[in-house]
Amino acid sequence: MVSPKTLEVVKATVPVLEEHGNTITTVFYKNMFAEHPELLDIFNETNQKLGRQQTALATTVLAAAKHLENLEVLLPQVMQIGHKHRALQIKPEHYPIVGQHLLGAIKEVLGDAATDEIINAWAEAYDEIASVFIKVEADMYQNAMWSGFVPFKVVKKDITGSDIAAFTVQPEDNGFDVSKLPLKAGQYITVKTDPKDSDHIALRHYSLYSVDSSDGLKFAVRRDNKNAYRGLVSNHLHDNVKVGDTIYLSAPAGDFELNQSLIEQNDVPLAFISAGVGITPVFAMLEVQVKTNPKRPIIWAYACQNQEHHAFDERVNALLEQAEQVQKNTFYSEDNQRLDETWLKTLPNPADVYVCGSMAFMDSMIDGLMTLEHSGDNLHYEPFGPKMSLSAG
Ligand SMILES: Cc1cc2nc3c(=O)[nH]c(=O)nc-3n(C[C@H](O)[C@H](O)[C@H](O)COP(=O)(O)OP(=O)(O)OC[C@H]3O[C@@H](n4cnc5c(N)ncnc54)[C@H](O)[C@@H]3O)c2cc1C
Ligand code: HEM
């Protein structure tokens, strides 16, 4: 617990730091990477180049500082971030590096206004916040299905929905049997790659699209190309990684999961709303629901460009056929079919809703569902990017 004086100084200085948030963050990353270039192998290079996520870390420290006397209220957010940190293999020894450079950036940006009293108070506050993350992440390391990045061999690679490559991978170590891992639908694995188009190692998360690992772990990757820009890792996985090649994965992570207390009962319908490659985690959830309790009513809504881009269609249909009450809705944007607020109005309320897709899609779905007064407890979502970039955070 920090001292009352520290609490007072930190709370009094949060507004001025928030005001300079972007500059502090820019200075922080610049200095940290200059002194620790090895961290460029952990942070997402594209995010850095585009200035995306620049503020996530510093903004969260500032937000946490407002709750210094009661950090437990932030546990759900710390858990969500902790899953990502554990998946990326952020370790306790990384925290002092971030702390040192965050304080250094505050000093540099505030200049004379950053008195010793202010800097010491923030050092104490950062240590307190970091210790909460380190503790939560220690449990996650302890419970992870394996430690570090482990080599897997690609045993299968198919194309689905024209631009999505579905991979099945088996551990290279024959003594490591993945068929009995306690995988949860909604979890993601993290791939460590060394693309030739980059000077650095690149890490990316990919959701498991099935929890049936009898023939290996399964994930699917969409080529992520916007205009002239080619996504670094997705194109590398599409173009350079083939059956027989080795890739490195860290253990499944994440807290996007089916509400266990509702799976066995049939009063609250289950609604899966996804777009594009956002189908992956909800496809795994559909599989679990249908296998556990096929009687539960299921609403399946999927949006993509056209039939050619429709991912896993046959496999989804095969699962939906096993369910007893199904409403399936497909929206092809090329045919002007819109998965929008008008359609959301047709959803029963309450419904147990799971949403996954691009940031813009998720923002519009979550806003729409909230406007229609769906309870926050029944809304579950997984952005394929930093969660705090969504308006719902
Ligand atoms: C929890 C989670 C689960 C995920 N699950 C999946 C999944 O199941 N399947 C899946 O396919 N993806 C998934 N993702 C997304 C995935 O992790 C990657 O973000 C995605 O593959 C893009 O990575 P990339 O390296 O190919 O692209 P990046 O190089 O990171 O680029 C990202 C985007 O920015 C654009 N870009 C790059 N440089 C520029 C520039 N200079 N100017 C403008 N635009 C630029 C690229 O074209 C691309 O569209 C998931 C993400 C998370 C967080
Ligand atoms: C108390 C300290 C920290 C806070 C509050 C914090 C906060 C965050 C937040 C909010 C995110 C975004 C999560 C999301 O994607 O939804 C994130 C991601 C990330 N964090 Fe941290 N973090 C802290 C410490 C660290 C440390 C010590 C490191 C390693 C040096 C680190 C490395 C990363 C990386 C690599 C990502 C993924 C983003 C990217 O690659 O651009 N973080 N962190």
Side-chain angles (χ1 to χ4, degrees):
M1 190 67 193
V2 298
S3 69
K5 183 70 198 156
T6 294
L7 207 55
E8 189 189 318
V9 174
V10 165
K11 291 211 166 182
T13 47
V14 166
V16 63
L17 295 186
E18 279 179 336
E19 201 181 302
H20 294 283
N22 281 340
T23 332
I24 291 174
T25 312
T26 309
V27 172
F28 156 71
Y29 279 119
K30 184 170 113 317
N31 293 348
M32 184 170 77
F33 290 141
E35 204 166 300
H36 291 277
E38 75 281 4
L39 292 181
L40 288 165
D41 285 344
I42 304 181
F43 281 85
N44 180 322
E45 188 185 3
T46 310
N47 284 349
Q48 291 299 320
K49 270 193 207 149
L50 297 180
R52 261 197 246 139
Q53 183 137 21
Q54 286 280 36
T55 49
L57 202 160
T59 313
T60 308
V61 172
L62 295 182
K66 292 181 192 161
H67 299 277
L68 257 191
E69 69 276 53
N70 187 16
L71 285 172
E72 307 85 74
V73 297
L74 298 174
L75 266 185
Q77 285 93 323
V78 176
M79 296 283 288
Q80 183 263 329
I81 300 164
H83 277 289
K84 293 233 169 113
H85 280 165
R86 203 280 297 145
L88 297 164
Q89 301 291 297
I90 308 301
K91 296 284 174 66
E93 56 270 27
H94 289 122
Y95 280 84
I97 303 176
V98 164
Q100 180 204 332
H101 287 284
L102 206 49
L103 291 176
I106 293 175
K107 259 193 210 164
E108 196 174 320
V109 173
L110 295 192
D112 290 343
T115 59
D116 285 350
E117 186 184 48
I118 292 178
I119 293 300
N120 292 339
W122 273 96
E124 207 187 323
Y126 175 80
D127 286 348
E128 186 80 6
I129 296 164
S131 69
V132 175
F133 276 82
I134 292 170
K135 189 159 170 286
V136 163
E137 289 161 18
D139 282 346
M140 290 176 172
Y141 278 104
Q142 184 85 32
N143 296 321
M145 292 176 214
W146 65 85
S147 63
F149 283 94
V150 159
F152 282 74
K153 202 162 272 310
V154 176
V155 293
K156 205 164 167 216
K157 182 181 175 189
D158 316 306
I159 299 298
T160 172
S162 85
D163 59 353
I164 297 177
F167 291 86
T168 306
V169 299
Q170 278 285 9
E172 291 207 332
D173 173 358
N174 291 332
F176 176 18
D177 177 7
V178 289
S179 69
K180 294 189 180 65
L181 288 177
L183 302 175
K184 282 195 200 144
Q187 286 182 316
Y188 52 86
I189 47 82
T190 303
V191 181
K192 179 179 182 175
T193 59
D194 190 3
K196 64 175 172 16
D197 293 341
S198 168
D199 297 335
H200 304 287
I201 299 292
L203 311 176
R204 294 292 185 273
H205 309 295
Y206 293 101
S207 305
L208 297 169
Y209 70 78
S210 171
V211 292
D212 175 359
S213 52
S214 50
D215 56 349
L217 298 180
K218 300 185 181 77
F219 60 94
V221 180
R222 182 180 73 105
R223 263 189 208 277
D224 197 351
N225 294 339
K226 276 195 199 84
N227 308 319
Y229 301 103
R230 287 167 57 80
L232 182 64
V233 174
S234 57
N235 282 285
H236 169 74
L237 292 171
H238 270 259
D239 297 336
N240 305 326
V241 178
K242 51 188 190 311
V243 171
D245 286 349
T246 299
I247 55 171
Y248 291 82
L249 305 187
S250 73
D255 54 5
F256 183 50
E257 52 182 281
L258 280 170
N259 180 342
Q260 297 295 324
S261 65
L262 295 178
I263 294 183
E264 292 286 1
Q265 64 77 52
N266 304 321
D267 301 337
V268 183
L270 177 58
F272 293 120
I273 303 177
S274 65
V277 76
I279 193 173
T280 47
V282 293
F283 181 25
M285 289 176 176
L286 173 66
E287 177 189 44
V288 168
Q289 179 63 54
V290 168
K291 287 194 176 152
T292 320
N293 171 18
K295 288 192 167 32
R296 189 174 182 198
I298 295 177
I299 298 159
W300 177 267
Y302 180 66
C304 64
Q305 205 175 323
N306 52 29
Q307 171 70 51
E308 202 194 328
H309 284 81
H310 196 139
F312 297 117
D313 194 19
E314 280 176 25
R315 292 200 241 180
V316 166
N317 284 340
L319 283 175
L320 290 176
E321 273 164 24
Q322 294 171 42
E324 289 181 19
Q325 287 185 62
V326 171
Q327 185 196 314
K328 184 186 177 201
N329 307 267
T330 306
F331 303 85
Y332 293 143
S333 57
E334 244 177 44
D335 297 342
N336 274 326
Q337 296 162 346
R338 300 267 165 243
L339 203 181
D340 57 13
E341 274 205 38
T342 311
W343 181 81
L344 287 180
K345 284 188 188 142
T346 67
L347 268 186
N349 191 354
D352 187 23
V353 189
Y354 296 80
V355 187
C356 191
S358 69
M359 289 296 190
F361 172 79
M362 305 230 341
D363 265 337
S364 99
M365 291 296 105
I366 295 161
D367 283 356
L369 289 160
M370 285 179 165
T371 310
L372 293 166
E373 297 183 349
H374 282 266
S375 129
D377 289 348
N378 287 339
L379 291 186
H380 314 269
Y381 48 94
E382 180 79 291
F384 280 1
K387 200 155 194 172
M388 64 186 300
S389 313
L390 291 175
S391 354

